[in-house]
Amino acid sequence: MTITAADTMSIGLPEHSRTFPRVPESAGLARDLAVTTLRAWRLEPLLHDTTLVASELVANAVQHGSGRFLVFGVERSSRFRVRVHVTDQSRVRPVLRCPNDEETRGRGLRLVSAFAVVWGIDVHTRGKTVWADLAGTGDMNRP
């Protein structure tokens, strides 16, 4: 995947998104897109947190979503802030769980919540988008 100068200098909010099959392997594709995008934007300090959040959001869409495909995207909302989002065709909202120590699943949104400045869910007529904002140290709005 190649990101050109035109991609990174667009008018409005720069964004890169791709449609992937709703399969577990798409988490790796989403991470790759996030890495390529953040490097093009010179936001390497956000790589770890963004790839972790991307993996969790895609994994949730694969496990709990519906439809054959999902849409993953990264948008730059300010100089030091990015939004990662995943859209699938299910209108069922994900639930932030509190699993006990013996449970091996159910911690994905807890991780998203821990690494994101803010996250949320937008329900549409044809599905939902789960998103998370991540900010670098230059963002003065970060708590």
Side-chain angles (χ1 to χ4, degrees), residues 8-27:
T8 60
M9 301 297 222
S10 64
I11 297 172
L13 294 179
E15 178 176 3
H16 299 282
S17 63
R18 299 282 186 273
T19 300
F20 297 126
R22 199 173 59 80
V23 297
E25 295 79 13
S26 291

Side-chain angles (χ1 to χ4, degrees), residues 4-90:
T4 65
D7 292 328
T8 60
M9 301 297 222
S10 64
I11 297 172
L13 294 179
E15 178 176 3
H16 299 282
S17 63
R18 299 282 186 273
T19 300
F20 297 126
R22 199 173 59 80
V23 297
E25 295 79 13
S26 291
L29 299 173
R31 282 191 305 273
D32 291 346
L33 177 60
V35 167
T36 302
T37 301
L38 292 180
R39 285 188 174 146
W41 292 339
R42 295 188 171 100
L43 291 173
E44 286 87 353
L46 291 176
L47 282 174
H48 175 268
D49 294 0
T50 302
T51 55
L52 184 141
V53 168
S55 294
E56 293 301 332
L57 293 181
V58 171
N60 281 350
V62 167
Q63 184 177 1
H64 303 290
S66 65
R68 293 180 47 217
F69 300 98
L70 59 86
V71 178
F72 171 80
V74 181
E75 73 181 56
R76 189 170 188 172
S77 51
S78 73
R79 184 173 175 199
F80 299 106
R81 187 181 284 228
V82 296
R83 174 170 285 188
V84 177
H85 54 88
V86 178
T87 302
D88 70 72
Q89 294 178 6
S90 171

